[in-house]
Amino acid sequence: MIKFSPLVIGDMVAKYPVIQGGMGVGISLSSLAGAVAKAGGVGIISTAQIGFRDPDFLKEPMEANMRAIRSEFAKARAIAPKGIIGFNIMVATRNYAQYVKEAIKAGADIIISGAGLPVDLPEYLSEAKRIAAEAGETVRTKIAPIVSTAKSAMVICKMWDRKYKRIPDLVVIEGPLAGGHLGFTREQLSQYGADTPNVAKTYDSAAYDEEIRGIMKVVRQFEEKYRQHIPVVIAGGVYRHEDVMHAIELGADGVQVATRFVTTEECDAPMSYKQSYLDAKEEDIIITQSPVGMPGRAIRNSFLEKITAQKAAGEKVKIDHCYQCLEHCDPKNIPYCITKALSNAAEGDLDQALLFCGSNACLANRIETVDEVMQDLMGLPAF
């Protein structure tokens, strides 16, 4: 049995090299993030429309989200007083900088950022540190970009080096088997064999492994320049112990896992959402086009079938309300509102919901605890 090293991120140490991936809207909040952090991993709260249950969300979504960032972090911290807890914040979020600053102010140990390149993330952290220093306080928040290609890794590292004289505290490599919005074009997914429901048979693992090695080569260049280790974690399709082993064998310091944690007792999703994972078959997991213009992986349901039929018929769907969630979104020309579809999922209205998931959601066959998942991922004996 291999003994895994802890995940070291600067001055923070997670007992197990497992980061729980951020899942919005309302899927990875305080309950899940707190439980993962308490179990020895890194718990991550998604800020994507995090305040959707706030009574004033319809009227003042931004203010509701800022309040929820503070309250969800406080609740997670109460569960895991000594654990590592952070936020996943999408670059595509409208008012992205404000979300970052609020997360830092709340006390985030780490901010993981994707759905775009977080080129200005260090600037927002520096500003928060300056303000905190003036108040006699210290900010210890770490920052980590999500990348999917060596090219994007080079852009981020070069930009941070040139403009901010710093490197990432951690890098997340998210592959084409991930859930939700993907950092690949439809053509790239096809090249890797990751655009079909039966990815277990078509996925070209060796091809993406080569891309991972290329990303790591970029990261190592900047490690050498700064004489400082940059931990790398691999995400996308990590579900079993052997997936963790494969990532470590590739040279990663750890893994990021999302889908596996959905079917846990502690996950913030309603039972009906979890049941959709338990019921999903391989052929139910498909690639769909999100309103934000990116491919996404989700469970086929009546909602997606209706949207597909409407698109084929050239029908326009009336958007009743704009939640101001994304920087680049035109309510007049989108097939549906992604905030409404995702919040419906989190509320259990599955017939009107977008059910994001990773490629291995069909492997879920029972509700587990976070502790059980962590033990299994690490290859440790069950309790």
Side-chain angles (χ1 to χ4, degrees), residues 17 49 61-62 69 129 132 134 169 198 213 216 226 244 259 262 301 303 305 318 329 331 345 361:
Q49 299 297 58
M62 189 67 187
I69 285 174
K129 284 184 174 181
E134 290 172 357
D169 295 303
N198 59 337
R213 293 186 185 96
M216 288 182 169
Y226 282 79
V244 179
T259 292
V262 169
N301 64 352
F303 172 76
E305 289 174 350
K318 183 183 177 184
C329 177

Side-chain angles (χ1 to χ4, degrees), residues 6 20 31 66 68 95-96 143 155-156 161 176 182 199 221 311 348:
Q20 162 251 312
S31 178
M66 294 301 104
N95 300 313
Y96 170 70
I143 52 176
V155 169
I156 284 290
D161 170 39
L182 304 171
V199 290
Q221 289 178 35
K311 185 178 178 181

Side-chain angles (χ1 to χ4, degrees), residues 7 61 75:
L7 179 60
K75 287 188 283 187

Side-chain angles (χ1 to χ4, degrees), residues 177-198:
L177 298 183
H181 289 123
L182 304 171
F184 300 87
T185 63
R186 199 69 184 249
E187 291 71 25
Q188 288 171 321
L189 290 173
S190 179
Q191 287 170 11
Y192 289 119
D195 62 336
T196 64
N198 59 337

Side-chain angles (χ1 to χ4, degrees), residues 55-285:
D56 293 328
F57 180 67
L58 272 176
K59 186 172 61 176
E60 299 177 333
M62 189 67 187
E63 290 81 355
N65 287 336
M66 294 301 104
R67 286 192 293 272
I69 285 174
R70 297 189 293 272
S71 64
E72 289 297 326
F73 185 82
K75 287 188 283 187
R77 178 57 74 212
I79 296 169
K82 297 181 179 178
I84 301 175
I85 302 168
F87 290 93
N88 178 289
I89 308 177
M90 299 191 303
V91 178
T93 303
R94 186 175 294 188
N95 300 313
Y96 170 70
Q98 196 170 334
Y99 280 83
V100 171
K101 292 171 187 177
E102 195 63 45
I104 294 169
K105 199 188 304 181
D109 293 316
I110 187 168
I111 290 173
I112 297 174
S113 202
L117 294 178
V119 290
D120 296 323
L121 186 53
E123 178 183 331
Y124 308 140
L125 177 60
S126 295
E127 185 180 331
K129 284 184 174 181
R130 178 182 54 76
I131 293 170
E134 290 172 357
E137 299 169 354
T138 302
V139 168
R140 61 193 294 266
T141 306
K142 307 295 187 290
I143 52 176
I146 298 175
V147 299
S148 295
T149 64
K151 182 179 179 181
S152 58
M154 180 61 81
V155 169
I156 284 290
C157 289
K158 259 189 174 180
M159 179 76 78
W160 287 17
D161 170 39
R162 179 178 59 80
K163 196 172 178 182
Y164 304 109
K165 304 294 184 285
R166 67 158 294 156
I167 51 178
D169 295 303
L170 172 110
V171 170
V172 177
I173 301 175
E174 190 168 273
L177 298 183
H181 289 123
L182 304 171
F184 300 87
T185 63
R186 199 69 184 249
E187 291 71 25
Q188 288 171 321
L189 290 173
S190 179
Q191 287 170 11
Y192 289 119
D195 62 336
T196 64
N198 59 337
V199 290
K201 302 180 185 70
T202 60
Y203 180 57
D204 190 348
S205 173
Y208 195 68
D209 285 354
E210 198 55 39
E211 187 69 38
I212 289 173
R213 293 186 185 96
I215 295 171
M216 288 182 169
K217 188 175 179 182
V218 169
V219 171
R220 300 304 170 235
Q221 289 178 35
F222 290 88
E223 275 190 342
E224 290 172 10
K225 179 173 181 177
Y226 282 79
R227 298 182 181 179
Q228 180 182 328
H229 179 57
I230 306 171
V232 172
V233 302
I234 291 176
V238 180
Y239 195 92
R240 298 153 294 199
H241 174 60
E242 49 263 44
D243 302 323
V244 179
M245 291 284 294
H246 182 64
I248 300 301
E249 287 164 1
L250 283 170
D253 297 88
V255 293
Q256 179 175 282
V257 181
T259 292
R260 179 73 185 271
F261 284 114
V262 169
T263 49
T264 59
E265 293 176 5
E266 298 91 339
C267 180
D268 298 87
M271 186 57 215
S272 57
Y273 188 101
K274 299 174 188 181
Q275 191 63 47
S276 70
Y277 277 48
L278 298 177
D279 294 340
K281 298 179 176 61
E282 190 177 41
E283 59 268 24
D284 296 326
I285 300 171

